[in-house]
Amino acid sequence: MLTIRLAVKNILGAGWRTWLNVVVLSIAFVAIIGVQGVYEGMSRRAIDAMIQMQLGTGQFWHPNYDPYDPFALKDSHAEIPAALDTAVADGNAVPILISQGVVYLKGRMQSVLLKGIPPGQTILKLPTRALSSNSEISAVIGSRMAASLDVQTGDYITVRWRDAEGTFDAADVRIAAVMETTVSAVDNNQIWLALDQLRSMLDMPGQATLVVRGQEIDHLRSAGDWVFRDIDCLTQEIQELVQVKTVSMTIIYTLLMAMALLAIFDTQILSLWHRRREMGTLMALGMTRGKLIQLFTLEGALHALLAILVGAVYGIPLLTWFSYHGFSMPDYAQDAGFAIGEKIFPEYGAGLVIGTTLLVLVSVTVISYLPTRRIADLEPTDALRGRMS
């Protein structure tokens, strides 16, 4: 207890030097949690939106399907595997048929993906009810696609496609609805049609390219030769992107922490130099070198403890406010290919807060200990004369 009381008295007695170190360290502490929280929130929001609009609880792909190879689409369709027939009939899985097409509008042509989906499905939060209107071909498109084509609900576009036999055909398609979504993978260059209508257009009865798995059959992981992709696999790109961003931000964290730790290290060096006679007096009164090292290391560690407390005073209300109100994103961020949304809401998990707290405590304690190793060779008589051995 004597060591703790001496450490507290010394650190508070240092005045503005202590509080300057504490403020710099607290800024690094709050900045690490704040920025990491933004990335956590952005990643979680993007993945949640993709699960709701595109992925379900996983997908079964036709063996030839490759979303990055449009030329493979003509061979990426087949009848739905028997293992999924009952799930599809019960509404626990959603078959999707994908084909290439071309849109002609106002003297322009644009390559698109035609996607057929059952209008009555409830697994994906797509406005597919708008597809079940009447005998004419109706379509749902996203707001980015609508802006690209300069069309709105009720307009007609001319769509050309190629059926299973390689024959070209075309028809006018009415835009039944324009959906707002943050998931560009269901929006950019895509036209959603009723599944039976697209099957009839392509002459592919009963066929699909992939099947989205619903919550009720989340135990099902195999269906003939179709390949199952779970959520981790389907969101791998987002997770890798966040990891890359996190690594790049680590450089900034390192610089912030280095500035704070350098200030602590410098303070310890100066403290050892200016308090030589005090150290000699304490050793003459019976304090061992180990206890003296412990005292100076504890003083350094108290900087970290004070920084955490000071950071909590202004960091908790600040970060809580951002977690509720979020950060507004510019309009061009919606075209980044990442389901960001209009706002980013940071998320600060217990692991993030505890991990950052331990990082600050351990780093400062180690940095505080390093200069005190000179005390091991200190002779009390030299210290009382103001010398370092």
Side-chain angles (χ1 to χ4, degrees):
M1 286 301 294
L2 175 63
T3 306
I4 296 175
R5 284 202 300 269
L6 277 174
V8 173
K9 181 181 177 182
N10 291 335
I11 195 172
L12 294 179
W16 63 270
R17 284 181 299 173
T18 294
W19 294 111
L20 185 61
N21 290 332
V22 166
V23 168
V24 173
L25 198 56
S26 73
I27 291 174
F29 175 63
V30 173
I32 292 173
I33 294 178
V35 175
Q36 278 297 106
V38 170
Y39 281 116
E40 286 284 339
M42 186 168 64
S43 171
R44 181 70 59 83
R45 189 174 176 82
I47 291 174
D48 287 347
M50 290 179 66
I51 289 173
Q52 294 174 1
M53 301 291 292
Q54 180 189 8
L55 307 180
T57 61
Q59 294 181 344
F60 293 92
W61 289 4
H62 184 278
N64 295 331
Y65 177 57
D66 181 353
Y68 301 106
D69 184 5
F71 297 106
L73 282 176
K74 62 183 179 61
D75 300 319
S76 304
H77 54 85
E79 293 187 0
I80 298 171
L84 294 171
D85 272 344
T86 304
V88 170
D90 294 341
N92 295 323
V94 181
I96 295 177
L97 179 62
I98 305 174
S99 178
Q100 285 185 294
V102 177
V103 170
Y104 295 90
L105 183 69
K106 300 176 183 177
R108 296 180 291 121
M109 57 182 292
Q110 180 173 333
S111 296
V112 296
L113 287 179
L114 305 177
K115 290 190 172 182
I117 185 171
Q121 65 85 27
T122 57
I123 293 176
L124 300 179
K125 290 189 176 180
L126 296 171
T128 51
R129 293 286 181 187
L131 299 174
S132 58
S133 55
N134 47 47
S135 58
E136 69 177 348
I137 301 176
S138 57
V140 171
I141 61 176
S143 55
R144 298 180 187 83
M145 182 66 177
S148 171
L149 296 175
D150 191 19
V151 297
Q152 55 188 350
T153 301
D155 288 349
Y156 284 83
I157 57 176
T158 301
V159 177
R160 190 197 68 180
W161 66 89
R162 196 172 185 178
D163 66 19
E165 303 300 326
T167 304
F168 287 101
D169 201 350
D172 288 335
V173 175
R174 186 178 68 87
I175 304 300
V178 176
M179 61 179 170
E180 295 288 342
T181 175
T182 60
V183 183
S184 59
V186 299
D187 185 339
N188 288 336
N189 299 320
Q190 297 189 32
I191 296 178
W192 292 85
L193 305 167
L195 179 60
D196 290 339
Q197 219 159 27
L198 184 60
R199 282 171 170 169
S200 175
M201 292 160 59
L202 300 176
D203 194 21
M204 299 177 185
Q207 299 194 12
T209 302
L210 60 90
V211 175
V212 179
R213 191 181 69 172
Q215 189 70 42
E216 300 297 327
I217 57 166
D218 58 1
H219 59 279
L220 190 61
R221 300 183 65 87
S222 64
D225 59 346
W226 285 40
V227 182
F228 177 70
R229 305 290 185 185
D230 60 16
I231 294 298
D232 289 339
C233 175
L234 295 171
T235 59
Q236 185 178 2
E237 289 182 359
I238 291 180
Q239 294 172 11
E240 289 177 350
L241 179 62
V242 171
Q243 287 177 357
V244 170
K245 292 290 185 184
T246 301
V247 170
S248 63
M249 288 306 297
T250 302
I251 298 174
I252 297 178
Y253 304 154
T254 304
L255 289 176
L256 283 172
M257 283 296 295
M259 291 170 59
L261 295 177
L262 184 61
I264 299 291
F265 186 82
D266 189 50
T267 300
Q268 286 288 77
I269 293 288
L270 288 174
S271 181
L272 286 173
W273 179 257
H274 287 296
R275 293 164 62 187
R276 288 165 295 176
R277 288 189 173 83
E278 178 190 338
M279 289 189 290
T281 303
L282 290 173
M283 293 175 72
L285 291 174
M287 180 174 279
T288 62
R289 290 181 177 83
K291 284 288 184 181
L292 205 53
I293 292 174
Q294 188 179 358
L295 172 65
F296 278 84
T297 304
L298 184 59
E299 288 179 18
L302 285 176
H303 283 92
L305 195 58
L306 283 175
I308 292 168
L309 294 175
V310 170
V313 169
Y314 69 87
I316 289 177
L318 180 67
L319 298 181
T320 302
W321 189 88
F322 279 120
S323 70
Y324 279 102
H325 297 278
F327 296 91
S328 295
M329 299 299 295
D331 293 337
Y332 61 80
Q334 307 306 316
D335 300 324
F338 199 77
I340 296 176
E342 296 178 353
K343 284 188 174 182
I344 292 178
F345 294 89
E347 294 186 8
Y348 313 106
L352 172 62
V353 176
I354 294 173
T356 307
T357 302
L358 291 176
L359 172 68
V360 172
L361 277 174
V362 172
S363 301
V364 172
T365 302
V366 171
I367 287 295
S368 301
Y369 166 73
L370 294 178
T372 63
R373 291 178 300 173
R374 296 190 62 182
I375 297 176
D377 301 324
L378 183 65
E379 294 296 335
T381 52
D382 291 337
L384 287 170
R385 292 194 190 101
R387 298 176 183 171
M388 293 291 287
S389 302

